[in-house]
Amino acid sequence: MKKNILNISLVPALLFCITNIALAQNIRSSVNKGVELYDKKKYVDSEVEFKKGLEKSPDNFHANFNLGDSYYKEGKYEEALRSYQSALAKAENNKLKAEVYHNIGNSLLKDKKIKESIGAYADALKLNPKDEATKYNLSYALNLLKNNDQKNKKNKSDKKNKDDKNKQNNKNDKNQNQNKNNKDQKKNQQQNQQNQNQDQNDQQKQKQQNQPQQNQISKAQAEAIFNALNNDEKDLQKQLRKMKGQPIKTGKDW
């Protein structure tokens, strides 16, 4: 039997070889040949041999367990998990069950199911509390979970800080835009008021220009007075009274 230990590099243990002469010769031959190929790191070929043994005896513990090891080495962790679970159902004692739970934990951990792997290692230690390899793997998985939790908390905190910063920036931008709009509106109001005042001034000037000023005579009136000078004083006085304003007294100085 091969127990996989999660170290920097996995340290393999021995697979089960079938030595019971009571088993059929062809099953023993397939399983033992698979073990030889596995030891030579020919994992795909060993998988084929273990499957041959299972075709002849689907309930064989050794073939199921060893097939799980071949899958594990090939990186087929879901397939390995199914083979180990089949072997677990066929295990005859607690020691064998502990070995299976250990490798179930390894498959789960490799498949990034850390919490599930911790549960499998714990089950293995319940059945075999002195297993140092399982203790090591359990400690490794717990530290990995702790680091991941801290990393996730940091990521959440960073994300929250980033979101808060974005909200503040958006608020500042909104305030700046509002201030700008208020300034523009005030400027427009001032400009409109100035334009309105200018229009009123222009209208007033135009009105003043259109109205004759007091004591100001028109060209026709000036000509009439000039003609009156050439006539008599009565005609001159008559023309002057027609002008607006204070009466103009005339003498005979001219």
Side-chain angles (χ1 to χ4, degrees):
M1 176 182 64
K2 174 160 293 192
K3 179 190 292 184
N4 296 306
I5 300 176
L6 281 178
N7 211 324
I8 295 177
S9 59
L10 293 177
V11 180
L14 294 177
L15 281 80
F16 282 113
C17 292
I18 297 179
T19 56
N20 192 335
I21 59 175
L23 295 175
Q25 182 65 34
N26 53 0
I27 299 175
R28 183 177 62 186
S29 175
S30 294
V31 174
N32 288 351
K33 185 176 180 180
V35 172
E36 292 176 2
L37 292 168
Y38 183 98
D39 290 338
K40 294 177 182 180
K41 299 183 179 180
K42 297 181 179 180
Y43 304 121
V44 176
D45 293 335
S46 68
E47 173 193 335
V48 173
E49 293 300 323
F50 294 140
K51 284 181 177 178
K52 287 180 180 179
L54 286 174
E55 288 176 358
K56 299 163 187 174
S57 180
D59 294 334
N60 186 275
F61 170 82
H62 307 80
N64 278 294
F65 187 95
N66 292 350
L67 179 59
D69 282 351
S70 293
Y71 281 139
Y72 181 89
K73 286 295 187 180
E74 294 176 62
K76 300 177 180 179
Y77 303 118
E78 291 185 1
E79 290 87 340
L81 184 61
R82 287 195 291 268
S83 293
Y84 289 138
Q85 288 171 338
S86 295
L88 184 63
K90 311 299 184 297
E92 298 176 354
N93 54 60
N94 287 345
K95 183 179 179 180
L96 293 181
K97 290 180 180 179
E99 299 288 348
V100 177
Y101 275 124
H102 176 97
N103 283 8
I104 287 175
N106 289 353
S107 298
L108 290 168
L109 192 57
K110 280 290 189 178
D111 205 25
K112 298 181 180 180
K113 298 176 181 178
I114 303 175
K115 291 183 179 180
E116 291 87 340
S117 72
I118 291 173
Y121 292 137
D123 288 337
L125 287 174
K126 289 177 184 177
L127 298 170
N128 186 9
K130 296 182 180 181
D131 193 313
E132 294 299 325
T134 302
K135 289 179 181 179
Y136 175 87
N137 288 5
L138 176 59
S139 177
Y140 176 89
L142 289 170
N143 286 331
L144 190 61
L145 180 63
K146 180 180 178 181
N147 292 336
N148 284 352
D149 288 343
Q150 291 176 346
K151 184 177 180 180
N152 290 335
K153 288 180 180 179
K154 184 177 183 303
N155 290 338
K156 288 181 180 179
S157 178
D158 291 344
K159 184 178 184 301
K160 184 178 183 301
N161 292 336
K162 184 177 180 181
D163 291 342
D164 291 343
K165 185 176 180 180
N166 289 336
K167 288 180 180 179
Q168 186 61 41
N169 290 337
N170 291 336
K171 184 177 180 180
N172 292 337
D173 291 342
K174 184 178 180 179
N175 290 337
Q176 290 177 356
N177 291 333
Q178 184 63 40
N179 291 335
K180 184 177 183 300
N181 291 336
N182 291 339
K183 289 180 180 180
D184 292 342
Q185 185 177 6
K186 185 176 180 181
K187 184 177 180 181
N188 290 334
Q189 289 176 349
Q190 292 175 346
Q191 186 64 42
N192 291 335
Q193 185 64 40
Q194 291 176 357
N195 293 338
Q196 185 177 1
N197 293 338
Q198 184 64 39
D199 291 341
Q200 291 177 350
N201 292 336
D202 293 342
Q203 291 175 1
Q204 185 65 29
K205 288 180 180 180
Q206 186 66 32
K207 183 177 181 181
Q208 292 175 354
Q209 290 175 357
N210 292 335
Q211 293 178 353
Q213 295 182 0
Q214 188 175 4
N215 298 331
Q216 183 177 349
I217 62 176
S218 66
K219 182 179 179 180
Q221 289 174 326
E223 290 179 352
I225 293 172
F226 179 78
N227 292 331
L229 290 173
N230 295 326
N231 296 321
D232 54 33
E233 184 177 355
K234 290 182 180 180
D235 291 334
L236 176 59
Q237 292 294 335
K238 190 182 296 184
Q239 293 297 328
L240 291 175
R241 284 195 296 270
K242 291 180 180 180
M243 294 176 58
K244 293 182 180 179
Q246 296 296 327
I248 298 176
K249 295 180 179 180
T250 61
K252 298 182 179 178
D253 295 335
W254 63 77

